[in-house]
Structures are given as C-alpha cells and as structure tokens.
Amino acid sequence: MADIIQLLPDHVANQIAAGEVVQRPASVVKELLENAIDAEATTIKLIIKDAGKTLIQVIDNGKGMSTTDARLSFERHATSKIKTADDLFHLNTKGFRGEALASIAAIAHVELKTRQEQVEIGTSICIEGSHMVSQEVVVTPIGTSVSVKNLFFNIPARRNFLKSDTVELRHVIDEFHRVALAHPKVHFLLYNNGSETFNLPVSNYRQRIVNIFGSKTNEKLVPVEEETEVIKISGFVGKPEFAKKTRGEQYFFVNNRFIRSAYLNHAILSAFEGLIKTGTHPSYFLNLTVDPQTIDINIHPTKTEIKFDDEHTLYAILRSAVKHSLGQFNISPVLDFERDSNLDTPYNYSKSTVRAPKIEIDRNYNPFQDSESFKRQTSSFNKRPSDSWDSLYVGLDSKNITPQGNSDMKFEGEASDGSLFESNEQVNMTYQLHNKYIISAIKSGMLVIDQYRAHQRVLYEDFLQNMTVKEAVSQQLLFALELHFSSQEIEIIKQLKEDLEHTGFVFSKIANESVEITGVPLNVPESEVSIILEQLINDVQHEVPNSNFSAIDLLAKSMAKSLAIKTGQILKKDEQEYIVNRLFACKEPNISPANRLIFITVGVDELDKKFI
C-alpha cells in the first residue's frame, strides 16, 4: 500500500497557522502594536484604511532590527523573546511564539522598514504571501515601520467572512484601547482614513482613561489600591450609579497584558452586589501584578486567556479590594452605627501632614450694631392695597370660556382583526399571568401572549412606519437634556442622526463628547433616553448592516427593545386589552422583531385531554 502521509509545503502550513493568529484586521493590529511595545518604543503610530482591509501600518521609534534579524523575523517560530521552555514562566514581553509576522506575511502584502540607532542606513523587506519579493538597503528613521496591505488577498473565502467596515473598525479600536490602557507611558496615535482619531500623550493611568473615554469619565472613577504577598492590584472601578446595561468598559490587565476572565469578572460583580441593578455591568480598569511563575500564558495564540496557580485566593483578594474601595469612598453603605464616617481618611490623604486649623475672628463684630437699622428698614415698608380679585375677570365673556364640545375630536386607532375572537365580550376577557403573560379567550380556547415580545412588535412597526413613511410626533423638553459619550460613540450618533430625527428625537447640538437633546419621541420618558441611546450604540457596534433600509430596520428594533414593557411589569385591564388589540393589528403578529414566538394557542380539546 502506497504511503499517504506527506509534509505540507511551508506556504500552506503558514496559511493554516495564520487562521489561528489572524482572524480579522484587529488581530494584525494587536500583534504589531505588541511588537512595538516589546521594542521599547515611546511613540507608536497606527494608520488604518478601510478598517484595516486595505492598509494597516504601525510606525514606532523602538530599537529597530539588524538586516539578519529583519529577515529572520518572518520565519516561523523565530523569536528574540525566549530561548528555552523555562522562559515561558518568566515572561516580561508581549510576544514569545514567533508566529505573528510569519502568519501575517502568509496572507497579505507586507513591507517592513527598520533601522537601529548605531547604523546609518536601514533595511527594507517586501513579502507577498510568504514569498520574498525584495530586500534592499533604504534610508529610514530609527525604529520599525510595518505596512500590511490587502489582507486575505490569497484567501478570498476568508475575506468574505469579514464584517462591514464599521464593525471591523470597532474591533480595531478595541485592540488599540487595550494596548494603550496597559501602557500610559507610551504616546499613541491612531489615524483612520487620513483623519486623526486618537492622540494619547504620555500621562498617568487616570488621565489615559479620561483621554480615551471622554472627560466625563473622570467623575465616575473610584481608585482601587491593594498590595499583598500574592498580588498587587491598582486601577479604578466605576461608581455604581454609572453601571451600564451593555458591556464595553471592563478591562483586566495581568502584568500589563490584557486578559479575559469570567471568574475574576464575577469577583467584581459580587463586590457590587446590592449596589447596581440586575443585568447592569460596572466599569473597571484594573492592573494585576503577579509573579510570572504563578501564571501560564501559553494557552491560546491570542494570549488573552491565562491560568493562575491559585484562582480562589485572587478572587477573594480582588473582591475585598474593590469592596473596600467602594466603602472607603462612602459609595457602599456600612452597617456600623457607632462609626463616624467623617473620620475616615481617604487613600489620597493618608500620608499627608496634619496641620492645625486656622481660626479667624472678626473683632469688630457687634451683634447689637445693626438692630436699629434693621428696625428702620422693616418699618419703612408700606403695604400697598392690592386690587380687587374681581378685576382679573373684567372683560371676559362667558361664552368664550365655555368648554368646547368633544364631538369634533378625533382619536387615532387601529382596527383589530376580530377573526380570532368569538365576541366583543370575550375580547375584553384578558388576564395577566405572573406579570409576564397575557391570557385572552378565543373561539377555540385561549391565547397565551408574551407581553414584552408583543409590545416590541407593536413599537417596532410604529417606528418603522415613522421612519419610512411619515414624520414622527415629538414632545419638546422643558429643559434641554445633555448626555455625554465617547468620541467613538458620538460618530455613531452622527451617522444615525437623520434616522433618529424621523423617530421623534430633536438634536440641538452634537459636540465632541456630548449631545444636547431638546425633543424626544412621544411616550418616551426623559429618564429612558440615555438607556435607549446606549442600547442603540451597542447594537450598531455589533451589527451594522450595509443597506440603508437595514440600518433603519436595526434602529427600529433597538428602540422597540428598549421601550417595550418589561417582564414583571403589572398591567391594568385596559393596558392588557390595548396590547392584544394592537398586536393583531400588526402585519406580523406571530413573531417578535427578533424572530421569536409571541403567542401560543391552547385549544379546548387540549384542556379536555388534561382532565381525562
């Protein structure tokens, strides 16, 4: 029998490895930024075109590479970070696998320019799909510049799996944020399609967070500091009142490396237990410093998963540190009736010197000096007789204040399809079960309706009609409502501004980090506006359609999801009937906007079988 096992060619092996390392443009950004950090760069510039599909370029002022190192860097498992297997447990660098550049070069056009400080000329290397195109001497600044063009040019199937430019750009910015937050002592710049998106100068950790997420973030942060023999914790958590329904500002860094850990995230949530609403997520930006020998980073090629020696101890320390900070700054309640909270010393003042308070005395003060002038002032007041109240009504004709008849008033209503119901009496026979379902009688038995999904369908079709067919009704606010967002979120609001105005929103001003709203859709409470916009931004960031109609459709779905009555809300009889009648006036009463079943029918025959 013939031999069938054979070695794969290098270019095929590289493409397979690239599938693990490079999943989207954001993966390339992560690898190149981490290489620049390992090169001890103090200024790193990231240039993006078409969300990284056309160009990803990272320019740094680090140590640079020699001609031999520049060529070897594109070989698989070639690295300067480790030499033996034991080095995996003493890592102080971002990379160590030696697969990133080889994987990127296998699926893109790569151009590398690098120069060391002690030499006058540098090296330029061009590689396309693992094939060396050119290597020559060039004049280039100290440091390294890597340009990655036409990502997945030789794997069109993989390129087709990429999302829209907006979604891919969001992933790129997320990776940029993670590296920038871990290294506040490095100057980062991000250019997207020729325009400067971020310019983050060297700063402390708090200022770096504010520069990324907006100036309004400063008042939301609570410092966390704790140092033990096992772990050192530093960073910030968000105040409970600023917890959001959507995730997005949760960052763990272990030895300056971003990680994901559901277990440690649960420790944060348990520290906030009783302070935030169910289903909301607090913000946190925490740096954990541990002994490299107690962690294993070599779990996944993305290096965002870490195994700890003693997770239970870290969980307890992290939970206690966050809880202590929330209590130290009088954010969480303390059940100690003999304790005077005014005597607590915040962290910032624990080491400050104590000075005696200065007492100032006004020696010229006489409590009896102004008594006479006060009497003169009060006595000089002359009360003028007011006009008779009858004069307020002089000139009013009784026929002008007679209430108008209601015969000319018209109310908008929807004609419900009564084919499911036996009679008008049975239409009104509704009952709310467990504050979640509405039970309604029909000819063949009864309907069990999910009130949340039903109201979603009603609102969805209303919003869709307002945005595509007619103008919506807007209610003006007595005082303008000012909401604060990050620069990235403001760009999304600008894109959706026209569609939002069709639903009833009125924007008076959109600044770099804030939005001023003077009108909201009818029946939308002012307190819900920020929640609606946050949910909408989150939906758009995760799923942005390409066609205009689909964008309007997504907007209608997001607003309906935010405004629909929630499970657990008690409904009056007329509210139950309104939802039932409006539901069966919809074009698609069977399924919700998320394609989930709205109601089920339970026939009399099925009930009879239960009693056999």
Side-chain angles (χ1 to χ4, degrees), residues 378-386:
T378 54
S379 61
S380 63
F381 176 77
N382 295 325
K383 183 177 180 182
R384 296 178 57 189
S386 60

Side-chain angles (χ1 to χ4, degrees), residues 138-165:
V138 294
V139 176
T140 183
I142 298 172
T144 304
S145 170
V146 183
S147 300
V148 180
K149 303 176 182 177
N150 305 323
L151 196 64
F152 299 122
F153 79 99
N154 52 354
I155 312 178
R158 191 67 178 273
R159 191 178 181 91
N160 292 335
F161 278 109
L162 296 179
K163 303 293 184 181
S164 64
D165 286 357

Side-chain angles (χ1 to χ4, degrees), residues 399-434:
K399 65 181 179 180
N400 291 334
I401 60 174
T402 303
Q404 295 285 341
N406 295 332
S407 58
D408 296 335
M409 297 180 67
K410 295 181 180 179
F411 295 91
E412 182 181 358
E414 296 286 349
S416 60
D417 186 3
S419 60
L420 288 171
F421 302 94
E422 183 177 359
S423 64
N424 290 333
E425 295 181 358
Q426 286 188 322
V427 172
N428 297 327
M429 293 175 59
T430 59
Y431 174 76
Q432 190 178 20
L433 180 65
H434 294 303

Side-chain angles (χ1 to χ4, degrees), residues 507-548:
F507 297 93
S508 59
K509 184 179 71 174
I510 299 181
N512 292 332
E513 294 182 356
S514 63
V515 172
E516 194 174 87
I517 299 173
T518 56
V520 296
L522 200 64
N523 299 326
V524 174
E526 184 177 343
S527 59
E528 295 285 328
V529 173
S530 61
I531 299 175
I532 293 170
L533 291 180
E534 285 177 6
Q535 181 67 50
L536 174 62
I537 291 170
N538 182 67
D539 290 343
V540 171
Q541 285 179 333
H542 287 83
E543 181 189 5
V544 176
N546 295 322
S547 63
N548 188 37

Side-chain angles (χ1 to χ4, degrees), residues 274-325:
L275 299 177
I276 59 176
K277 296 180 181 178
T278 304
T280 58
H281 306 278
S283 303
Y284 55 81
F285 312 87
L286 296 175
N287 296 303
L288 313 180
T289 305
V290 298
D291 186 354
Q293 296 184 4
T294 63
I295 59 175
D296 186 4
I297 305 171
N298 193 23
I299 304 297
H300 192 272
T302 59
K303 299 186 284 289
T304 56
E305 299 177 16
I306 288 182
K307 283 188 176 180
F308 297 92
D309 267 359
D310 191 358
E311 283 189 331
H312 299 289
T313 302
L314 297 183
Y315 182 99
I317 296 174
L318 182 61
R319 179 180 178 273
S320 300
V322 174
K323 210 169 185 62
H324 175 71
S325 291

Side-chain angles (χ1 to χ4, degrees), residues 42 123 148 248 266 272 286 495 509 594:
T42 57
T123 304
V148 180
H266 189 271
F272 277 87
L286 296 175
Q495 295 173 11
K509 184 179 71 174

Side-chain angles (χ1 to χ4, degrees), residues 216-330:
K216 200 68 177 177
T217 311
N218 191 34
E219 66 185 47
K220 305 177 184 178
L221 300 178
V222 177
V224 178
E225 294 286 342
E226 192 67 47
E227 186 171 359
T228 66
E229 296 178 356
V230 180
I231 186 174
K232 178 183 177 182
I233 302 172
S234 64
F236 301 89
V237 295
K239 294 181 180 179
E241 59 265 31
F242 296 104
K244 296 182 179 180
K245 286 190 173 182
T246 58
R247 298 179 184 269
E249 294 181 1
Q250 289 79 35
Y251 292 91
F252 277 123
F253 301 97
V254 174
N255 297 348
N256 293 330
R257 183 191 302 275
F258 173 79
I259 67 159
R260 292 186 177 93
S261 176
Y263 188 67
L264 296 182
N265 180 70
H266 189 271
I268 303 294
L269 293 179
S270 62
F272 277 87
E273 187 176 2
L275 299 177
I276 59 176
K277 296 180 181 178
T278 304
T280 58
H281 306 278
S283 303
Y284 55 81
F285 312 87
L286 296 175
N287 296 303
L288 313 180
T289 305
V290 298
D291 186 354
Q293 296 184 4
T294 63
I295 59 175
D296 186 4
I297 305 171
N298 193 23
I299 304 297
H300 192 272
T302 59
K303 299 186 284 289
T304 56
E305 299 177 16
I306 288 182
K307 283 188 176 180
F308 297 92
D309 267 359
D310 191 358
E311 283 189 331
H312 299 289
T313 302
L314 297 183
Y315 182 99
I317 296 174
L318 182 61
R319 179 180 178 273
S320 300
V322 174
K323 210 169 185 62
H324 175 71
S325 291
L326 293 175
Q328 186 78 12
F329 289 87
N330 296 327

Side-chain angles (χ1 to χ4, degrees), residues 306-452:
I306 288 182
K307 283 188 176 180
F308 297 92
D309 267 359
D310 191 358
E311 283 189 331
H312 299 289
T313 302
L314 297 183
Y315 182 99
I317 296 174
L318 182 61
R319 179 180 178 273
S320 300
V322 174
K323 210 169 185 62
H324 175 71
S325 291
L326 293 175
Q328 186 78 12
F329 289 87
N330 296 327
I331 291 171
S332 63
V334 179
L335 294 177
D336 186 355
F337 300 102
E338 297 180 357
R339 170 178 163 275
D340 188 356
S341 61
N342 295 323
L343 299 178
D344 290 340
T345 303
Y347 283 124
N348 296 340
Y349 299 97
S350 60
K351 297 181 181 179
S352 59
T353 57
V354 180
R355 296 187 179 92
K358 294 182 179 179
I359 301 176
E360 296 181 358
I361 300 174
D362 185 3
R363 300 185 182 278
N364 298 323
Y365 174 71
N366 185 351
F368 305 100
Q369 184 176 1
D370 298 328
S371 59
E372 294 297 327
S373 60
F374 177 75
K375 291 179 180 178
R376 289 195 297 272
Q377 290 175 1
T378 54
S379 61
S380 63
F381 176 77
N382 295 325
K383 183 177 180 182
R384 296 178 57 189
S386 60
D387 296 334
S388 174
W389 62 271
D390 294 336
S391 62
L392 297 174
Y393 297 92
V394 174
L396 291 179
D397 194 354
S398 60
K399 65 181 179 180
N400 291 334
I401 60 174
T402 303
Q404 295 285 341
N406 295 332
S407 58
D408 296 335
M409 297 180 67
K410 295 181 180 179
F411 295 91
E412 182 181 358
E414 296 286 349
S416 60
D417 186 3
S419 60
L420 288 171
F421 302 94
E422 183 177 359
S423 64
N424 290 333
E425 295 181 358
Q426 286 188 322
V427 172
N428 297 327
M429 293 175 59
T430 59
Y431 174 76
Q432 190 178 20
L433 180 65
H434 294 303
N435 299 333
K436 182 177 183 180
Y437 301 106
I438 299 175
I439 311 298
S440 181
I442 57 174
K443 289 187 290 186
S444 60
M446 66 178 180
L447 286 175
V448 183
I449 304 171
D450 187 308
Q451 64 184 36
Y452 174 61

